[in-house]
Each structure stands twice: as structure tokens, then as C-alpha cells.
């Protein structure tokens, strides 16, 4: 397994860069492989504390333990496009993208391996970007190594078009941009937070429609950090409806309709949908774009918000 160091990780310690490039493995395991000489930099053995730079190539040469094997499983995949190089699918709410502790099976990756067994030969089974478990919408998958390399580079150059629709708590006066670095929360390790020491994160948003106490928005990602939209919107005091990590306690507007109350009470996931995806096809060079309709729960919530005005 190989990965090239991007500019965003240049100058960091080897173990830090390895954690960024091989996120499926713990920092401790990566450090062990570095000591054993199983994780090489430009085919050389280095120390965990050594600095490495953009363009360096990390090579992981080790036989993974049996528990690390990914198991193909039959699954219903909503595939919107597929050819010999790429696959674009519409991920439903409630599906974990990648196996991890506590989620070794039943993930999107397990289903992809059953649909396309050769993905087992590609880093992360061809998955070049993720969506949170309870975020719905479009994802791209590379079906061979050249396509994977090309799509990863497009992401690093910020050439991939990714737009989301979201419903936030509060009434926005206008769109804007949030340009604040993100990192792991210093106390709650499952969360992310705005930190001066974090990685660059840029989120653009604009208003689609305002309601009495909520706003329907379009969000465009310039970078793709974990939980980026959710953290940036919450930090801006416009948390996503239903967000269990960053949304705070349930808020019911005064004198709202019974239907809106019911919709808000039952909406127990972040109101976020990846509606548009675009990239340059790795083989043809053609600019390709896809759009996905909002899922039923967001459609019903928006209808209740409209009726309550």
C-alpha cells in the first residue's frame, strides 16, 4: 500500500503523516510498523519523529492480521453511475462507510467489495472520501489504482465539486464563508473543534430559504475535514437540525405547528445531504457531474417549515 505526502502534511513527523494517510490504523500500530521497518519512506527506514515532506512516498509492507481483513457482503447499493474506472453512488442515512472498531461488517465498504471484488486491491477499497453515518448523498469510488491516484489528487487540489443541502437552527441574514482550522476536540475525542493548531478548513454557504426559526442552505466544501460542515455551522451559531454531537438540545420554536413539532422531535440525525458531486473523469478528462434528490425526511421537514410560516 502506497501514499504520497501532500502539501497539507508536509514537514510533519512521520507518525503524524502516516496517521493522516492511513487513517484505518491506530497511531500505535503505525509506530510499531515504523520501528519494524514495515512502513518505509522512499523505500528507506526512518524514525517516527523524522520529518517528511510533500512528494515523499510512504510504503506499507506488512501482512495484516486476520481481523483486519475486509469481508465482502451482499448489500443494496444505489449506484447512479458506473464504468470501468469509477463508481458514483447515493449513500442512505444510517450506513457506516468504512469498517472500524464496533463496525466490522454491514458497512458500505463491505457491500462494495461484494459488488466489485477487485476493490480489495485498492487502498480503502477505492473510497477516496467519506460521508458520516447519518449524512446521505453522493460519493465517488475509484475502481483501479490509476483512477484512485487521479481522484485523490483532484481532492488535494480542491478540484472536486462537492455541494450539500442542510437545514440549520436560526435565521441567517446572508450567505458567507467560514475559514477556521479544525482538529480533534481536546476533551471529547469523538468530536472535532475549531483549533488554532488544526488543519485548514474552508466552508462556503448560501441561503436557499429562510423560515421563522430555521434556514435551508447550500454548502460548498473547499476542504474536506471530518465533520467540517457540522462543526463550522455550530461554531457560527447555526447548528444543523438534529445533529447529535454539535446541535445541542432540541429546540422547538414558540407557537409552532403540531406537524413541525413532530418533525423536529423525530429528526434525530444531522439534516445534511450531499446533493451534488463533480470531478474530471480520470480516463476521458471529461467534466462529470451528478445530483441527488433530498431524502424523504428532509423533504418532510422542509414542508413542515414552509407550512409553519
Amino acid at each position: 500500500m502506497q501514499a504520497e505526502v501532500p502539501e497539507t502534511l508536509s514537514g510533519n513527523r512521520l507518525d503524524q503523516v502516516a496517521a493522516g494517510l492511513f487513517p484505518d490504523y491506530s497511531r500505535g500500530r503505525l509506530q510499531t510498523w515504523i520501528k519494524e521497518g514495515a512502513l518505509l519512506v522512499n523505500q528507506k527506514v526512518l524514525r517516527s519523529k523524522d520529518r517528511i515532506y510533500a512528494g515523499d512516498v510512504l510504503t506499507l509492507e506488512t501482512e495484516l492480521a486476520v481481523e483486519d481483513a475486509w469481508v465482502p457482503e451482499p448489500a443494496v447499493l444505489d449506484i447512479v453511475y458506473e464504468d470501468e474506472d469509477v463508481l458514483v453512488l447515493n449513500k442512505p442515512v444510517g450506513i457506516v462507510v468504512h469498517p472500524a472498531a464496533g463496525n466490522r461488517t454491514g458497512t458500505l465498504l463491505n457491500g462494495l467489495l461484494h459488488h466489485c471484488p477487485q476493490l480489495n486491491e485498492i487502498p480503502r477499497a477505492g473510497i477516496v472520501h467519506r460521508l458520516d453515518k447519518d449524512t446521505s448523498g453522493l460519493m465517488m469510488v475509484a475502481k483501479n489504482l490509476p483512477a484512485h491516484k487521479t481522484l485523490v489528487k483532484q481532492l488535494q487540489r480542491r478540484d472536486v465539486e462537492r455541494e450539500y443541502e442542510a437545514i440549520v437552527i436560526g435565521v441567517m441574514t446572508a450567505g458567507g464563508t467560514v475559514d477556521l482550522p479544525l482538529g480533534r476536540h481536546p476533551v471529547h475525542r469523538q468530536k472535532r473543534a475549531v483549533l488554532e493548531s488544526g488543519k485548514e478548513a474552508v466552508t462556503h454557504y448560501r441561503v436557499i430559504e429562510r423560515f421563522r426559526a430555521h434556514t435551508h442552505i447550500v454548502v460548498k466544501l473547499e476542504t474536506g475535514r471530518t465533520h467540517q460542515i457540522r462543526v463550522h455551522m455550530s461554531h457560527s451559531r447555526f447548528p444543523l437540525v438534529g445533529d447529535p454531537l454539535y446541535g445541542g438540545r432540541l429546540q422547538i420554536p414558540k407557537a409552532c405547528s403540531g406537524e413541525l413539532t413532530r418533525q423536529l422531535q423525530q429528526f434525530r440525525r444531522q439534516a445534511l445531504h450531499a446533493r451534488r458531486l463533480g470531478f474530471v473523469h480520470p480516463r476521458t478528462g471529461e467534466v462529470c457531474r451528478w445530483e441527488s434528490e433530498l431524502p424523504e425526511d428532509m423533504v418532510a421537514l422542509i414542508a413542515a417549515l414552509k407550512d409553519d410560516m
Side-chain angles (χ1 to χ4, degrees), residues 90-105:
N90 199 26
K91 188 188 89 66
V93 172
I95 300 297
V96 175
V97 169
H98 197 283
N103 289 293
R104 304 302 300 176
T105 61

Side-chain angles (χ1 to χ4, degrees), residues 72-103:
E73 294 177 339
V76 177
L77 301 176
D78 183 4
I79 297 173
V80 299
Y81 177 81
E82 183 175 13
D83 60 26
E84 59 184 320
D85 300 295
V86 297
L87 180 153
V88 176
L89 55 84
N90 199 26
K91 188 188 89 66
V93 172
I95 300 297
V96 175
V97 169
H98 197 283
N103 289 293

Side-chain angles (χ1 to χ4, degrees), residues 110-307:
N110 299 115
L112 284 169
L113 285 178
H114 184 270
H115 173 74
C116 188
Q118 69 264 30
L119 291 176
N120 198 42
E121 302 173 2
I122 305 172
R124 294 170 61 181
I127 296 172
V128 294
H129 69 123
R130 304 189 194 190
L131 295 177
D132 295 334
K133 174 184 176 182
D134 288 326
T135 297
S136 57
L138 296 171
M139 288 182 56
M140 60 183 175
V141 177
K143 294 180 63 178
N144 52 58
L145 286 171
H148 183 269
K149 182 178 180 180
T150 299
L151 293 178
V152 168
K153 284 188 174 181
Q154 288 186 44
L155 277 171
Q156 292 171 349
R157 293 196 305 261
R158 306 181 184 181
D159 291 338
V160 176
E161 180 183 359
R162 287 174 291 172
E163 281 192 359
Y164 296 71
E165 285 191 40
I167 304 166
V168 300
I169 301 169
V171 182
M172 290 182 169
T173 57
T177 296
V178 183
D179 185 353
L180 294 170
L182 298 179
R184 191 179 294 276
H185 195 288
V187 178
H188 305 288
R189 305 301 289 171
Q190 79 275 23
K191 298 177 67 175
R192 297 300 191 271
V194 171
L195 300 171
E196 288 187 7
S197 60
K199 297 178 181 178
E200 180 188 16
V202 182
T203 303
H204 307 283
Y205 62 94
R206 62 178 175 85
V207 173
I208 296 177
E209 188 171 5
R210 300 176 184 87
F211 306 103
R212 285 201 305 122
H214 298 82
T215 309
H216 182 195
I217 62 173
V218 170
V219 184
K220 186 173 182 179
L221 287 181
E222 189 170 320
T223 56
R225 308 303 177 196
T226 301
H227 297 176
Q228 178 173 320
I229 295 173
R230 299 165 66 186
V231 178
H232 272 172
M233 291 297 100
S234 178
H235 185 83
S236 302
R237 300 185 181 179
F238 292 102
L240 272 59
V241 169
D243 193 329
L245 280 180
Y246 308 101
R249 63 181 180 82
L250 176 64
Q251 299 182 38
I252 304 295
K254 292 182 180 179
C256 74
S257 67
E259 175 60 16
L260 179 56
T261 298
R262 187 179 72 84
Q263 288 292 335
L264 291 171
Q265 288 175 337
Q266 71 179 19
F267 209 100
R268 308 314 300 164
R269 60 104 174 179
Q270 60 270 9
L272 185 62
H273 176 71
R275 74 165 191 175
R276 181 176 294 168
L277 176 66
F279 55 83
V280 176
H281 193 282
R283 184 182 297 269
T284 67
E286 178 185 0
V287 177
C288 303
R289 292 186 178 91
W290 296 267
E291 290 198 20
S292 169
E293 295 183 355
L294 285 174
E296 292 182 1
D297 60 350
M298 288 184 67
V299 171
L301 177 57
I302 290 170
L305 288 167
K306 288 178 182 290
D307 290 342

